[in-house]
Amino acid sequence: MIRFGDYFPYLYSHFQQTLLPDVLNIVITLSLPVLSILLLYIFWPLWVDYVRGKNFLSLKYVVLEIKLPKETFKSPRAMELLLHAFHNTSDGGWLNQFWKGETRPWYSLELVSIEGQVKFFIWTEDRRKIGVMSALYAQFPGIEVQEVEDYTRNVHYDPATMKVWAAEFKFTNKNDAYPIKTYIDYGLDKDPKEEFKVDPLVPGIEFLGSVGPNQQIWIQLLIRAHKDEQRKPGHLFKKTDAWKDAAQKAINEIMSRDPKTKKIKIGDEVGDSHMLPSLSDGEKEIVAALGRSITKLPFDVGIRTLYISKKESFDTPFGIGGCISFFKNFNTEHLNGFRPNGDKWHAYLDAPWKDYKDIKKNRFAREAIRAYQMRSFFYTPFSSGDSATLVLNTEELATVYHFPGSVSSTPTLERVPSK
């Protein structure tokens, strides 16, 4: 008979003789697959970054400058059609993605002021240059497109002589599905005469044209085709489009309708489809804007702005205030708009005690210039992540970036002197 004091030594001896070999066999058997999965989880992102970086370095990139004619009668709808040529959701297939490092193509639409000289640029891969130029000439026959030297390459941050403010922008509304105020809301889709046009981009161009000596403002819109990448709830492999789903959900909530039958819901009961809820004019406008938005091709977008100046010329109210105000003409209270991302770069440093001896400010300036020069946003080394990526459709993009007509009389906006 085993006494209570001898119970634990007996139990240990029994475990060592009978159960321990079985436990060790199980641990050894499972260790290889578990270790493999762990190593894959750790090193797979490193491998993907490596092959992508290798692929990016093997490619050649070009900067195309677009010079506008004296008279441009095309509405932003022409720019919207141009953007259709940039919408390519192909990643090159699984093998090309993870072995050769290929990605969805992305472009950079840039509006720049160099000491008051306002210029339009498009950055792209050299192998896509002909396609971009053909699409430009197809929609804007009077323009002049030239491959030029990258204007950013000669800028190197020197904290002793320079000051830089940089920020990325995000939506004012947390729901990405709500659109901004577009050129259709301004009536530009009807091609009014120049004297009747109200172009939201013109005040921004006037601001860029007033930039003084030793100052530069760079505005960059990095775009790539948006695709369904979020896993559908309850499915392992089926993907869904969160942006479109959010828009449909918002419409259903405003209309008080069942998402499946599209019939009006009154409490827990479903009424006839002809029964319409009582909506205010603002709600009707929201529903119309959301419904129109999801019919257009969507893009993933990163918006980045830099104000670069010599120290003696740096003007905070003009430069920083102007960069923020540039995007306010696209904002609306009941839909959406743009504001600086307070978690990124200099927008984060809104108090002097957040930065000791400008250490962060100088580091942010170098990072921002380098990220802009590399046009890096969606992928390493300057990936801003999904939380900072906006979804804009072609209508919204064409509103923020298009070629204004003669309604913009900014003298420093260079135009082609003759046809």
Side-chain angles (χ1 to χ4, degrees), residues 356-402:
Y356 177 70
K357 291 188 176 180
D358 292 339
I359 294 175
K360 290 181 180 179
K361 189 177 294 183
N362 293 332
R363 176 165 59 85
F364 290 164
R366 292 189 183 92
E367 283 183 3
I369 291 175
R370 189 60 180 149
Y372 191 106
Q373 290 173 334
M374 297 183 69
R375 278 75 178 185
S376 175
F377 185 89
F378 304 111
Y379 308 104
T380 52
F382 294 102
S383 172
S384 293
D386 294 337
S387 60
T389 301
L390 313 179
V391 179
L392 297 175
N393 62 26
T394 52
E395 181 184 319
E396 295 171 285
L397 269 177
T399 304
V400 181
Y401 187 91
H402 63 267

Side-chain angles (χ1 to χ4, degrees), residues 205-220:
I205 291 178
E206 293 293 331
F207 156 67
L208 294 175
S210 61
V211 171
N214 300 318
Q215 301 178 70
Q216 298 186 37
I217 290 178
W218 301 347
I219 298 173
Q220 181 182 71

Side-chain angles (χ1 to χ4, degrees), residues 199-207 329 402 404-405 407-410:
D199 191 332
L201 190 61
V202 170
I205 291 178
E206 293 293 331
F207 156 67
N329 290 318
H402 63 267
V407 65
S408 175
S409 57
T410 306

